[in-house]
Amino acid sequence: MGRGVPPDSRPPLGPLVLLVLLAAVLPSPAAGVNVAAVLAAFPNFSDFLRLLTSSPVAGELTGRSSLTLLAVPNANLPRSPSAFAAASGADLADVLRYHVLLEYLSPSDLARLPASGKLVTTLFQTTGRAPSDLGAVNLTSSAAGGHSSTVVVHSPAPSFPGSNATVLGAVTREPYNISVLAVGGLIVPSGFDIAASGSESRPAVNITRVLADARGFNVAASMLEASGVADDFEADERGAGITVFVPTDDAFAAGGLPDAAGRLQSLPADRKAVVLRFHVLHSYYPLGSLESIVNPVQPTLATECTEAGRFTLNITRSNGSVAIDTGVVQASITRTVFDQNPVAVFAVSKVLLPKEMFGQGNTASAAAAAAPPAAMAPDASDDGPTPPTKLSSPPVWATARGANWSCIGFVYLQLHLLLLLLLLLLPLV
């Protein structure tokens, strides 16, 4: 009589197969949020989307999930968001970070707000620049638990009043990944007056004086002084800081393209100012940070005056140094001129010429590329926010409801498949 394998010695494959099939059927954890893709479907938020993508904030959301974005409709944005933020001593990027809540909140969550409100941490709190817990927002309802309640977003500290805004309605959501709520205006965090008063004892860095003391930057210093661009740096220094790439006098002499120096000097004043702003990042990056930068494509001050994805620099580490690619010019950092938080100044080997103005076929359209869109152009007569307007809710909410029914149908189908697999595998278990 041959020896067979005892029936009870066979490995129990049923549970293992069940786990494998469950892993295949159940949805995978949520990936990072692509804010640009989410907001791109809503044209009435195009200006707010451009502010996000022309700042470092959009890149900082990569890899994050379970967020709530407080988006401002085009009609409710101030004429000049940068000036609006600077008037409160704030940096525009930090103001935008204050609109990213690190918690998923659906309209039903807002309807269940307690009478005392709900404190929610924002992306701004993670920077370490927010005094105490003033990087959070407090969501309060005028009639907690009621269906017709009005939700207001404001500072958690009544003694340090920042700006506030009313939630106009839900725009769209991907359950438990991202929820987009429309608010009636930009919200400036409170406490910037404290930071500003603390920084008054430290005078702003005079970039032209730094270049004069360093020597070898006469051309750049004179161009900055004559254009008035250097005066714009002071407000930026008080926010997230600035990083300035300054061509040496030899770099201006060498140019970078045939007769590039002559073409640059012959530009009208407004277009020359765009090229100068193209040499500045709207954040403080010491050399070590540039060498290990996560997102190589960086917006510049010139990006803020145009549209997302234009006038950017590609910064990478190459052959032991930091390389900067504009699309038409490849330069490198040759030395550190000045580095004291929140200002870093680096010498570069070539004049950084933007492809939007000096690329092949772009010469004729350079003026159009350099001019800021009319919707975002500064207006001296009205630099405050326009009165809030109501959203056209039905089309937006209809889109959100359609997406929700699709998600419910998908989950319902998965449950049926799971039940079928359980019935098929039950004899094996």
Side-chain angles (χ1 to χ4, degrees):
M1 186 174 179
R3 296 190 304 173
V5 179
D8 58 353
S9 65
R10 290 175 296 180
L13 296 179
L16 179 61
V17 174
L18 180 60
L19 289 175
V20 172
L21 291 175
L22 282 174
V25 172
L26 293 177
S28 59
V33 174
N34 187 337
V35 175
V38 172
L39 279 184
F42 303 95
N44 53 328
F45 292 93
S46 58
D47 290 342
F48 186 77
L49 173 59
R50 181 158 59 86
L51 290 176
L52 284 174
T53 53
S54 64
S55 73
V57 178
E60 293 170 7
L61 298 181
T62 303
R64 287 185 177 271
S65 60
S66 190
L67 303 174
T68 299
L69 179 66
L70 305 178
V72 183
N74 297 343
N76 294 66
L77 279 172
R79 296 283 185 141
S80 175
S82 296
F84 176 75
S88 302
D91 173 70
L92 180 59
D94 282 339
V95 170
L96 294 174
R97 292 182 182 100
Y98 200 58
H99 288 68
V100 180
L101 311 187
L102 303 184
E103 183 177 338
Y104 175 84
L105 297 173
S106 66
S108 59
D109 293 325
L110 298 182
R112 294 191 297 267
L113 288 175
S116 59
K118 181 180 178 63
L119 196 65
V120 184
T121 302
T122 72
L123 187 64
F124 174 50
Q125 184 73 36
T126 67
T127 65
R129 289 189 290 273
S132 184
D133 63 346
L134 298 184
V137 296
N138 193 19
L139 304 176
T140 57
S141 174
S142 60
H147 296 289
S148 60
S149 60
T150 299
V151 177
V152 178
V153 186
H154 55 85
S155 168
S159 56
F160 300 109
S163 60
N164 56 63
T166 300
V167 176
L168 303 177
V171 180
T172 185
R173 60 185 182 272
E174 297 174 3
Y176 310 110
N177 195 23
I178 182 172
S179 172
V180 181
L181 304 175
V183 292
L186 280 179
I187 312 167
V188 177
S190 59
F192 274 109
D193 51 348
I194 302 174
S197 63
S199 63
E200 287 177 358
S201 59
R202 184 193 63 199
V205 177
N206 188 320
I207 302 295
T208 53
R209 177 64 60 85
V210 168
L211 296 179
D213 293 342
R215 299 185 181 182
F217 300 97
N218 295 327
V219 177
S222 62
M223 290 181 68
L224 285 172
E225 189 71 29
S227 65
V229 172
D231 297 335
D232 298 340
F233 295 164
E234 183 174 344
D236 297 317
E237 291 175 20
R238 294 179 179 175
I242 57 174
T243 301
V244 187
F245 302 113
V246 185
T248 62
D249 291 340
D250 291 338
F252 275 101
L257 290 175
D259 194 30
R263 291 166 61 186
L264 177 59
Q265 294 288 0
S266 63
L267 287 176
D270 58 339
R271 292 170 60 191
K272 190 181 297 183
V274 171
V275 177
L276 294 176
R277 291 188 175 94
F278 184 63
H279 288 69
V280 184
L281 304 183
H282 201 169
S283 287
Y284 165 70
Y285 289 106
L287 185 60
S289 297
L290 292 175
E291 290 174 338
S292 58
I293 198 164
V294 175
N295 182 15
V297 179
Q298 289 290 315
T300 65
L301 292 189
T303 309
E304 298 178 4
C305 297
T306 54
E307 60 186 67
R310 296 174 64 83
F311 293 95
T312 59
L313 296 175
N314 194 316
I315 302 174
T316 57
R317 182 174 173 83
S318 177
N319 299 324
S321 63
V322 176
I324 304 173
D325 191 343
T326 72
V328 292
V329 172
Q330 293 77 41
S332 61
I333 291 179
T334 57
R335 67 185 176 97
T336 300
V337 180
F338 182 89
D339 185 356
Q340 182 177 330
N341 192 355
V343 177
V345 181
F346 300 101
V348 291
S349 59
K350 295 181 181 179
V351 180
L352 305 180
L353 303 176
K355 64 179 181 294
E356 289 81 1
M357 295 174 63
F358 292 87
Q360 185 176 5
N362 287 319
T363 304
S365 61
M376 300 300 293
D379 186 350
S381 62
D382 183 12
D383 59 354
T386 56
T389 57
K390 290 291 182 181
L391 290 181
S392 177
S393 299
V396 175
W397 286 13
T399 304
R401 283 200 299 267
N404 290 337
W405 279 114
S406 299
C407 294
I408 293 172
F410 180 67
V411 173
Y412 187 69
L413 177 61
Q414 285 185 326
L415 290 175
H416 275 72
L417 290 175
L418 179 58
L419 180 61
L420 179 61
L421 286 173
L422 289 173
L423 292 175
L424 290 176
L425 294 174
L426 189 60
L428 297 176
V429 178

